[in-house]
Amino acid sequence: MSTQLDLECRQVVKSFGKFTAVDNVSLEIPQGSFFSILGPSGCGKTTLLRMLAGFIEPTTGDIRIKDKSMLGVPPNKRPANMVFQHLALFPMMNVAENIAYGLKRRKIGQAEIDRKVADVLERVSLPDAGEKRIEQLSGGQRQRIAIARSLVLEPALLLLDEPLGALDLKLREHMKVELKQLQHEVGTTFVYITHDQSEALVMSDNVAVMNEGRFEQVGTPQDLYYNPSTAFVAGFVGDANRWEGRIESLEGGQAMVALEEGGVIATSFAPGTSFSAGETVDLFVRPEAIVIERSKAAQEKARLSGGKNTLSGVVQNLLFDGANSRALVRDQATGHEVMVSLPQTGAFSDLKSGEALVLSWDVEKTRAFKATKAASQGIAA
Amino acid sequence: MSSVSTLSGTAEQERKVPVIKLGTFLLMLPLLLWLFLLIILPHVDLLMVSLREKLGYREYAFSFQNYIEFFTEPLYWNTFVRTAVMSIIATVITLVVGFPISYYIAKVLKGKKRSLLFMMCLIPFWVSELVRTFGWMILLRESGVISSFLQWAGVVDGPVEMLYNDASLMVGLVYTSMLFMVVPLVSVLDTLDDSLIEAGYDLGGNTFNILREIVIPHAMPGIASGCIVVFMLTLGNYLTPTLLGGKDGLWFTEQIYNQFITRFNWESGSAFGFLLLILSSAIVFVGLKLSRQTLADTVK
Amino acid sequence: MKSAKTTLSLKKAILGVTAIVGLAFSAQAQAEELRLLTWGGYAPDAVVEQFKAETGIDVKVTKSNNEEMIAKLRATGGGGFDLAQPSQDRIAGAQAENRIYKPMDLSKIDSSLFISSMLDATKTNTTYEGEVYGVPHIWGTSGLVLDTKKAGDVKDYADLCNEAHAGKVSYRLKRPTLIGFAFSMGMDPFEAYGDTAKYQEIMDKVEAKLISCKANVKTYWEGGDALLNLVRSGEVVAAMAWDTGGWKLNGDNPDVTFVAPASGALGWIDTFALPRKTENEEAAYKWINFVMRPEIAAQITAEAGNFTASKGADAFAEDKLKAQFQASFPEQDLNNIKWYPTVPAGLETIEGKVLDRVKAASSN
């Protein structure tokens, strides 16, 4: 990858009075990538984005676009354009005028403007929409026009503020693919903020998970999903089952963790973390990592059996969702509820509530983090 | 084809309309009475009075004389033109002064400060127009507050008279009308999404062209309705022109008052009243056409 | 002024409604109430109370002026009031045009209370088709109110246009001004009352004079209080105004007083006249005879500042007022007072246009 950076943030801080909305955030986004900032509402991601756009000045730190400091540069002078949450298309203008608005500000000739507007409308597959009024467009079309209005200015950065939020589910799924495709074609760097982990994971080259004004982890979607480095990320990105417990013993790369309700789960560590015996930890296991078997055997507490964590329980609830179907299994011994994915082979399509199951998963699929409050928040969100 | 079905739909509805229930009629009765007794009847009366010419004591004949006289006597026509031009100028000044205030109230201020400033625009209207006008007279007269202050500050040597001219009249008219401009402007600017303004900046716009291309087009219905109200109020104002305008200006309403009260000439007073109604409506109509607004948008 | 226009024709519309409501109330209110349409100061509270104590009749006072009185009575066809007080010169014309008054029953009036010359003059002036419509109540003059120290050179109305007093002069834009200026320019408008063409000619000259004089004028005053303020603050040093105004100011500042102009002060007499639909004629006569008693008339003079047509009231008047009157009116000036004759129809239209043109003219 070329080392040309489109955006660089250096220790950016923004405080409002005593409240720190963005706390010492640094990031580097290489040219042409799709970068998402993922976080729950109130995490500071919108503040960060508005600082990138120039509506807010950072309290300290530096923002550099194309290696130029943007401090003191007003939004209308920055090579960054924004797609607003509610799109902010100008209702008093038609589609072509909306798109031409920015071009006109650059004193470009009318013929050139017309050509560029036609090009970008072509690009977003709405070649004939130029004369339409904004209120005549569907939600998806508006989306595309809003993006076209920014893209036509060929910005170094395109900032997107949860623009899919207002769309219905089906259209949102569709637009995710389309946005990704569009970014790939135009090659502009996208900075996308969202609270929807699926949007971030599907579209992005890199994702920053943000919480309480800080970046928890920055990495590829795969990294975040499979190798979360904090309890918050583990809980916020994707679904996860969580247990709390105390480390009983450490051995090699593994630890035995005693659960509060009884039973023991073996866990591996994330690289670069260290634990000591007696520490309280949070354990995370993804639903799809758990293998299920029907069983008539007596109820037993969680234990390590044959190199795998094993526990038995009873199906409490079936959550059918096609390929994404799950079951909520109750550990009879401890009362803990565990979410498991049903295999897509359809092997358990006849599963019923009340059936007894044995759950098992590899030790490496368990992640342990030092216990924090944030972990529980992550799951709640 | 949806339009066709809509059309037939309304046609069907219209066939049902004539059956008005007694209850509906009774409910509408106060409105109808109000319309008829207080709006239509006086105007019909006015029209009839305006269309007669006095021949002698209690002798009248149908005639357009009162109307013809308006157009042939330069005095009346000039008075009307002067009144209309001054009203238009007052409207424009009110708009120019009121717009930034409204923008500030609607977009910049939040919470308490916003209510406070809005209140400050409103408070002068708690006292009667007469008292407000006298207030201005106390300020502007030769032995008044401003004149004394200027002398005290050494800016001028002797007392200055600031009353009884077109400028003081303008000040009074603008002051009297301000609220009627600010209220519709604030409410229309309230509905302007802040992100549209931000989008304008983000796309490279500066304050001036955001104002011209986004804020003003959005505010146009409010501007139009504010201007219509202010124009009509100013044109129909009597107190301010008489008290502050002084010796130079004859306001058209003063002319009507004179016809009715001091000349006992109800005929030409009525005709002038009607002409005021028609001509001012025509000016508003032209104004709406020029600004490409419709009356329906304005009252929305 | 849209509202005034509407209210006027409104009155007709609402008349029906009011009449019904009025009927319900009138039966009981009739005997006890006198609705008086008059000028400020003509019915002091003290007098109203004495009248009530003596007769049990309540007097409801509405303050107005000549033009409004006629307009009000015209709107209701002479209803709404039981007694009105228009100036004597404005009765016959208004009666001819609008039929708003009712003839006086002179036998109900104690003529011994009146100064007989004034009573006779008023009767003559208010006679229309052989009937008498008015008896005199209060009289006064208009002339010049001057700050004698600063504007001692102003001897007549035309002197108001002296450049020496530019911006310090005021007068009304009403018919007395036209008449006054005509006299001071050496013409006699009263003589031309019957000759419209000649009157027009006089008025054209007055118009030219008033327009050329416009730059001198500070403002055209409207209400008496406004003028008093202007003179009191020194913003105006010479004005055409009523005698009482000058005397009032004289009390505060001895330099300021009322001066009869060289061409003669204009004399007016306000009368009593019965509106055509008066509902309490008896009370009206009682009121007339009551206020014409010398001691009551003196009380009114003290309040209004003007003298009445009541015989012997002078004896009760304040010495100060008498002294002011005598200072303003030496013998020859008193004889020189020009009393307004009845205004013939049509003149008001001529005057109206002159006044409008003067008002609309540019002052430079």
Side-chain angles (χ1 to χ4, degrees):
Chain A
M1 195 170 276
S2 79
T3 49
Q4 164 83 51
L5 295 180
D6 266 353
L7 174 68
E8 192 185 355
C9 291
R10 294 181 186 165
Q11 282 137 25
V12 171
V13 174
K14 179 69 198 176
S15 333
F16 299 100
K18 281 185 184 161
F19 174 69
T20 306
V22 173
D23 189 2
N24 204 16
V25 162
S26 296
L27 67 86
E28 293 182 350
I29 302 176
Q31 195 172 27
S33 62
F34 196 124
F35 188 90
S36 290
I37 300 169
L38 172 66
S41 52
C43 72
K45 59 187 191 300
T46 302
T47 308
L48 180 58
L49 193 77
R50 289 173 65 80
M51 281 196 278
L52 300 183
F55 296 122
I56 309 179
E57 280 290 309
T59 311
T60 60
D62 192 10
I63 293 169
R64 305 176 76 85
I65 297 176
K66 293 258 185 227
D67 216 27
K68 279 198 199 84
S69 173
M70 287 294 127
L71 294 183
V73 178
N76 51 359
K77 298 275 190 329
R78 292 194 184 195
N81 290 114
M82 184 145 161
V83 176
F84 287 79
Q85 188 164 16
H86 300 290
L87 307 180
L89 291 168
F90 304 133
M92 60 289 286
M93 305 177 196
N94 68 21
V95 168
E97 286 164 344
N98 259 282
I99 296 174
Y101 181 86
L103 294 171
K104 278 190 190 146
R105 304 287 84 80
R106 294 188 176 174
K107 312 249 184 303
I108 297 173
Q110 189 60 46
E112 176 83 357
I113 290 178
D114 290 343
R115 192 181 59 71
K116 286 193 177 213
V117 170
D119 277 358
V120 80
L121 281 173
E122 192 81 44
R123 170 142 266 163
V124 297
S125 326
L126 289 168
D128 302 320
E131 292 306 309
K132 285 195 175 151
R133 315 264 345 145
I134 299 302
E135 63 266 22
Q136 290 174 295
L137 302 178
S138 69
Q141 287 170 329
R142 285 181 202 197
Q143 200 82 54
R144 286 188 235 166
I145 298 303
I147 292 163
R149 185 175 71 173
S150 292
L151 279 184
V152 76
L153 298 174
E154 293 161 10
L157 276 185
L158 186 68
L159 311 170
L160 300 104
D161 183 4
E162 305 198 43
L164 302 187
L167 301 182
D168 61 57
L169 184 67
K170 203 87 183 185
L171 191 54
R172 193 154 68 218
E173 293 300 321
H174 176 75
M175 284 305 294
K176 275 186 211 168
V177 181
E178 200 170 296
L179 257 181
K180 172 86 183 154
Q181 188 67 26
L182 186 70
Q183 192 271 333
H184 187 70
E185 283 169 23
V186 298
T188 306
T189 304
F190 279 31
V191 178
Y192 187 99
I193 70 169
T194 180
H195 65 272
D196 181 325
Q197 41 120 346
S198 145
E199 283 176 21
L201 297 182
V202 170
M203 292 189 281
S204 315
D205 297 321
N206 281 292
V207 179
V209 179
M210 199 171 177
N211 183 40
E212 293 184 333
R214 295 166 167 278
F215 278 179
E216 294 270 340
Q217 186 177 0
V218 183
T220 63
Q222 292 82 354
D223 251 0
L224 296 176
Y225 192 83
Y226 294 114
N227 300 308
S229 60
T230 69
F232 178 82
V233 176
F236 191 72
V237 179
D239 294 321
N241 294 298
R242 189 173 72 94
W243 287 269
E244 278 170 40
R246 221 166 42 81
I247 297 178
E248 275 193 335
S249 63
L250 286 154
E251 195 184 313
Q254 289 191 359
M256 297 301 287
V257 177
L259 305 180
E260 282 177 12
E261 307 94 342
V264 177
I265 291 176
T267 180
S268 60
F269 302 136
T273 53
S274 63
F275 290 95
S276 51
E279 239 178 319
T280 320
V281 290
D282 287 319
L283 300 178
F284 292 89
V285 177
R286 302 232 176 258
E288 69 271 19
I290 299 173
V291 178
I292 54 175
E293 274 176 89
R294 286 193 165 97
S295 159
K296 295 260 163 20
Q299 298 293 331
E300 279 188 69
K301 288 182 178 172
R303 67 193 186 284
L304 189 64
S305 152
K308 291 183 175 212
N309 286 306
T310 310
L311 64 82
S312 48
V314 173
V315 176
Q316 194 74 15
N317 253 315
L318 278 171
L319 310 167
F320 181 75
D321 186 14
N324 201 18
S325 298
R326 285 146 186 238
L328 200 57
V329 179
R330 188 182 173 86
D331 178 350
Q332 291 295 82
T334 64
H336 201 102
E337 283 184 343
V338 184
M339 181 80 79
V340 295
S341 290
L342 299 182
Q344 296 180 15
T345 54
F348 286 86
S349 59
D350 59 344
L351 195 65
K352 292 199 175 51
S353 280
E355 277 190 66
L357 291 179
V358 171
L359 317 180
S360 62
W361 66 90
D362 294 342
V363 173
E364 302 80 56
K365 297 280 170 66
T366 320
R367 292 272 155 199
F369 300 97
K370 292 190 168 71
T372 57
K373 266 178 82 186
S376 51
Q377 276 174 354
I379 284 186
Chain B
M1 287 301 99
S2 64
S3 63
V4 173
S5 65
T6 329
L7 274 178
S8 65
T10 33
E12 218 168 84
Q13 274 172 358
E14 257 163 15
R15 273 199 294 276
K16 286 177 192 161
V17 163
V19 195
I20 293 178
K21 292 207 180 91
L22 181 67
T24 319
F25 177 74
L26 286 176
L27 272 176
M28 284 172 64
L29 196 62
L31 177 71
L32 291 175
L33 273 178
W34 178 75
L35 266 177
F36 182 73
L37 280 179
L38 297 180
I39 310 278
I40 298 174
L41 200 65
H43 276 91
V44 170
D45 188 41
L46 209 62
L47 182 67
M48 277 161 45
V49 172
S50 76
L51 284 173
R52 64 185 198 194
E53 189 188 358
K54 191 157 104 178
L55 300 176
Y57 288 147
R58 292 186 296 285
E59 261 186 82
Y60 298 99
F62 178 86
S63 151
F64 287 105
Q65 184 53 41
N66 297 310
Y67 289 91
I68 294 167
E69 191 166 336
F70 174 83
F71 291 101
T72 51
E73 167 69 59
L75 172 68
Y76 301 143
W77 180 239
N78 288 340
T79 305
F80 181 81
V81 170
R82 181 189 135 83
T83 308
V85 169
M86 292 282 281
S87 299
I88 290 169
I89 294 173
T91 307
V92 171
I93 295 177
T94 312
L95 177 63
V96 170
V97 177
F99 196 89
I101 296 174
S102 313
Y103 190 86
Y104 199 69
I105 292 176
K107 289 281 155 221
V108 180
L109 292 182
K110 301 270 179 283
K112 229 180 211 155
K113 283 186 192 152
R114 181 191 149 111
S115 330
L116 192 75
L117 190 65
F118 206 43
M119 258 324 189
M120 278 166 63
C121 291
L122 195 72
I123 283 171
F125 290 81
W126 288 357
V127 298
S128 82
E129 192 185 358
L130 193 68
V131 176
R132 257 179 287 146
T133 311
F134 278 135
W136 277 109
M137 293 182 78
I138 291 169
L139 280 178
L140 295 176
R141 67 187 301 167
E142 198 178 330
S143 54
V145 177
I146 294 179
S147 172
S148 310
F149 175 79
L150 289 178
Q151 289 174 74
W152 173 83
V155 181
V156 290
D157 296 332
V160 243
E161 176 64 276
M162 278 166 284
L163 266 184
Y164 316 125
N165 54 45
D166 285 355
S168 64
L169 169 59
M170 211 41 101
V171 168
L173 289 175
V174 168
Y175 182 75
T176 305
S177 316
M178 193 51 77
L179 184 71
F180 302 95
M181 187 61 88
V182 167
V183 167
L185 283 182
V186 166
S187 67
V188 78
L189 287 174
D190 260 342
T191 64
L192 176 64
D193 189 349
D194 287 348
S195 68
L196 291 187
I197 298 169
E198 286 182 349
Y201 279 114
D202 187 69
L203 293 167
N206 56 30
T207 308
F208 171 73
N209 65 50
I210 287 170
L211 193 67
R212 204 189 60 190
E213 301 206 14
I214 299 168
V215 180
I216 291 180
H218 176 88
M220 215 49 207
I223 293 175
S225 68
C227 284
I228 290 176
V229 172
V230 169
F231 175 73
M232 286 307 213
L233 279 178
T234 309
L235 202 64
N237 200 329
Y238 176 73
L239 222 49
T240 311
T242 329
L243 289 177
L244 294 181
K247 56 178 183 170
D248 268 355
L250 187 55
W251 210 248
F252 197 67
T253 47
E254 221 176 322
Q255 181 70 256
I256 296 176
Y257 177 87
N258 284 345
Q259 293 299 336
F260 271 105
I261 304 298
T262 62
R263 317 267 188 282
F264 314 121
N265 194 343
W266 287 20
E267 292 73 32
S268 80
S270 306
F272 289 0
F274 247 84
L275 285 163
L276 180 66
L277 186 68
I278 293 164
L279 291 172
S280 54
S281 306
I283 292 172
V284 168
F285 177 79
V286 171
L288 285 173
K289 281 278 160 244
L290 287 179
S291 62
R292 298 206 193 85
Q293 295 291 306
T294 64
L295 203 58
D297 278 344
T298 311
V299 294
K300 208 155 50 178
Chain C
M1 242 307 291
K2 259 186 170 166
S3 60
K5 162 192 87 181
T6 337
T7 8
L8 277 174
S9 39
L10 258 186
K11 280 209 170 99
K12 282 191 166 180
I14 302 171
L15 199 60
V17 182
T18 334
I20 297 165
V21 180
L23 270 179
F25 283 99
S26 60
Q28 62 184 91
Q30 204 169 32
E32 293 88 15
E33 196 175 66
L34 175 71
R35 295 164 301 164
L36 180 64
L37 183 60
T38 185
W39 302 73
Y42 284 20
D45 291 345
V47 174
V48 168
E49 269 166 38
Q50 291 169 50
F51 183 65
K52 166 135 194 195
E54 192 173 311
T55 62
I57 298 168
D58 252 330
V59 180
K60 218 178 101 193
V61 178
T62 305
K63 290 174 189 168
S64 186
N65 60 47
N66 267 325
E67 287 84 9
E68 270 182 34
M69 274 183 212
I70 298 173
K72 277 189 171 133
L73 292 175
R74 180 178 170 177
T76 56
F81 298 94
D82 302 315
L83 186 61
Q85 298 213 262
S87 294
Q88 50 95 8
D89 56 317
R90 304 296 276 269
I91 294 180
Q95 176 63 6
E97 175 64 39
N98 300 313
R99 303 255 174 219
I100 53 179
Y101 297 118
K102 186 174 187 174
M104 281 266 167
D105 182 351
L106 294 169
S107 68
K108 300 244 171 94
I109 286 167
D110 184 356
S111 56
S112 68
L113 292 171
F114 290 81
I115 297 170
S116 56
S117 64
M118 215 170 270
L119 179 60
D120 292 339
T122 306
K123 282 202 243 174
T124 316
N125 271 345
T126 61
T127 299
Y128 174 72
E129 292 178 346
E131 303 269 17
V132 172
Y133 287 86
V135 293
H137 179 211
I138 287 182
W139 66 276
T141 62
S142 42
L144 296 163
V145 169
L146 302 176
D147 185 330
T148 45
K149 283 254 173 70
K150 294 179 186 146
D153 60 315
V154 176
K155 303 288 180 208
D156 210 337
Y157 300 120
D159 295 336
L160 292 173
C161 304
N162 285 353
E163 254 180 59
H165 307 299
K168 301 233 163 241
V169 162
S170 183
Y171 43 79
R172 286 201 300 170
L173 268 193
K174 286 273 161 65
R175 63 185 309 267
T177 309
L178 301 178
I179 306 284
F181 267 82
F183 275 117
S184 75
M185 289 163 73
M187 299 175 286
D188 187 346
F190 292 163
E191 200 175 281
Y193 259 24
D195 182 348
T196 313
K198 185 151 180 233
Y199 194 74
Q200 179 75 62
E201 200 181 301
I202 292 176
M203 283 301 130
D204 286 346
K205 285 184 191 150
V206 171
E207 180 186 327
K209 176 78 178 170
L210 287 179
I211 288 176
S212 75
C213 191
K214 204 167 173 182
N216 242 33
V217 177
K218 179 173 202 74
T219 187
Y220 300 120
W221 62 271
E222 296 271 344
D225 289 337
L227 177 77
L228 294 188
N229 259 324
L230 285 169
V231 179
R232 200 172 279 141
S233 66
E235 290 179 30
V236 160
V237 297
M240 177 177 179
W242 290 303
D243 44 16
T244 53
W247 295 332
K248 231 177 239 175
L249 288 166
N250 184 253
D252 307 336
N253 177 0
D255 291 345
V256 178
T257 192
F258 179 82
V259 173
S263 61
L266 296 168
W268 46 263
I269 302 172
D270 288 337
T271 67
F272 289 111
L274 292 169
R276 191 159 63 84
K277 293 179 185 160
T278 174
E279 284 166 13
N280 202 349
E281 216 177 318
E282 286 312 309
Y285 289 122
K286 277 187 197 161
W287 173 258
I288 295 171
N289 290 327
F290 181 76
V291 297
M292 291 314 285
R293 289 181 201 163
E295 69 277 15
I296 305 292
Q299 283 183 40
I300 294 175
T301 298
E303 172 82 16
N306 280 113
F307 293 93
T308 67
S310 162
K311 196 195 282 178
D314 278 6
F316 295 91
E318 286 172 50
D319 291 339
K320 191 182 169 196
L321 197 58
K322 275 195 260 187
Q324 284 174 329
F325 180 81
Q326 275 150 16
S328 297
F329 286 106
E331 188 66 29
Q332 80 271 18
D333 280 338
L334 199 55
N335 292 332
N336 198 21
I337 292 177
K338 307 279 195 290
W339 298 97
Y340 286 105
T342 299
V343 186
L347 293 194
E348 275 148 339
T349 316
I350 298 173
E351 292 160 359
K353 283 201 179 166
V354 169
L355 294 173
D356 283 348
R357 276 193 285 266
V358 172
K359 180 86 195 275
S362 150
S363 58
N364 302 308

